[in-house]
Amino acid sequence: MNKRILALPTCLSLSFFSFFTDPQPVNQLSAQEKKEGWKLLFDGKTIKGWHLYNQGQKASVWKVQSGELQCQPNTPGSTLEHGDLVTDQEFKNFDLKFDWKISKEGNSGVFINVVEKKENPTAWTSGPEYQLLEPSHYDYKADPKKRAGCLYGFAPQKNEAVTKPVGQWNHSEIKQINGKIEFYLNGVLTAQQNLNSSEWKQMIQQSNFRNYPNFSKATKGRIGLQDWMKGIAFRNIKVKEL
């Protein structure tokens, strides 16, 4: 396990979310975390502090159940709104930690530096993505740049990290200081990039993201959770501004 180097769609049964339990206290901050400046972005009971990207406060496929923030995009007969969920607050220099579990063949992501504008039709056209992927998904073998923990579409895992089996919780961390980012998956450094560098700008121009003129133009913005065809759940979402 690497030490940190920076100081700074099929229908998913709802039983996926309810079958696995964890006896440890969740969605809470310890006294030490509070002293260090950590804040919860999810209180375990409501979606307070979040809204649908470019849609505001609407009833959606994002639900709170059993202390988990769940995306249930395939609920039979549902007419609820779909869309990525983003924070009301914007962040620039931060340390973000969260737990996640995903359905079989699931595909999702966490976006950073999201700038919410009508000309940016989705969160991913604005902010870079920390990829979340279940290993049985087609993309796992087809494209190593799309595995969990990757800076989606740009580079394979910097160090190999193992994703937990379906229904078990993974732990992830995203750090950003002055545009320099680090991604961790289950304690392993999986991505590292300077979003202000000429190298990064060249990488964008060599990718499909070059078709979205506002992609990664900002190093400050909202944090987003992706709604993408299959179920995913989050908990213990906490942030410390640096």
Side-chain angles (χ1 to χ4, degrees):
M1 183 177 291
N2 289 66
K3 295 182 178 179
R4 301 184 184 183
I5 62 172
L6 187 66
L8 343 150
T10 56
C11 184
L12 176 68
S13 168
L14 297 187
S15 63
F16 162 74
F17 296 109
S18 59
F19 181 78
F20 296 93
T21 59
D22 191 316
Q24 300 300 318
V26 295
N27 305 313
Q28 297 179 28
L29 295 176
S30 67
Q32 182 62 31
E33 286 176 320
K34 292 177 181 178
K35 184 177 179 180
E36 292 173 355
W38 290 93
K39 296 181 180 179
L40 286 177
L41 289 182
F42 170 56
D43 62 15
K45 300 176 182 178
T46 69
I47 308 183
K48 182 179 179 181
W50 299 80
H51 63 274
L52 282 186
Y53 180 84
N54 272 348
Q55 298 185 68
Q57 297 290 344
K58 287 187 177 181
S60 74
V61 295
W62 291 94
K63 300 292 182 182
V64 178
Q65 186 171 316
S66 302
E68 302 170 12
L69 179 53
Q70 303 173 358
C71 186
Q72 302 175 3
N74 294 306
T75 304
S78 173
T79 57
L80 296 171
E81 291 287 345
H82 286 259
D84 300 329
L85 199 67
V86 296
T87 56
D88 296 343
Q89 186 178 351
E90 294 184 342
F91 301 92
K92 183 175 182 179
N93 296 328
F94 61 88
D95 190 353
L96 173 70
K97 296 181 180 180
F98 57 96
D99 298 334
W100 59 279
K101 63 180 178 181
I102 197 166
S103 60
K104 185 174 175 58
E105 299 181 346
N107 179 10
S108 186
V110 174
F111 306 106
I112 59 172
N113 304 330
V114 174
V115 178
E116 194 172 20
K117 293 182 178 180
K118 289 184 178 180
E119 53 263 41
N120 300 333
T122 61
W124 63 263
T125 63
S126 170
E129 177 181 353
Y130 180 114
Q131 169 74 330
L132 305 177
L133 192 78
E134 200 278 315
S136 64
H137 190 283
Y138 170 81
D139 279 346
Y140 185 86
K141 290 184 178 180
D143 190 347
K145 298 189 296 296
K146 296 181 180 180
R147 294 181 182 177
C150 287
L151 178 53
Y152 176 84
F154 289 98
Q157 292 179 345
K158 187 177 181 68
N159 300 289
E160 186 177 359
V162 178
T163 306
K164 301 290 182 66
V166 171
Q168 293 187 24
W169 291 101
N170 296 276
H171 179 71
S172 292
E173 183 174 8
I174 300 173
K175 275 190 173 185
Q176 176 170 268
I177 298 180
N178 297 326
K180 296 179 180 179
I181 62 170
E182 290 184 350
F183 291 174
Y184 295 87
L185 173 59
N186 294 325
V188 178
L189 176 69
T190 53
Q192 192 174 31
Q193 186 59 246
N194 183 351
L195 303 182
N196 291 315
S197 69
S198 57
E199 174 195 40
W200 174 241
K201 292 178 175 61
Q202 184 177 7
M203 291 170 69
I204 294 173
Q205 290 305 309
Q206 294 172 347
S207 75
N208 291 333
F209 290 97
R210 66 180 178 274
N211 298 317
Y212 302 96
N214 293 327
F215 177 75
S216 196
K217 292 296 185 183
T219 54
K220 176 183 178 181
R222 305 185 196 279
I223 293 166
L225 309 179
Q226 188 177 37
D227 167 16
W228 189 259
M229 299 175 71
K230 292 201 175 186
I232 189 164
F234 297 88
R235 70 176 188 185
N236 291 332
I237 310 173
K238 63 188 74 173
V239 68
K240 178 171 68 172
E241 296 190 75
L242 303 175

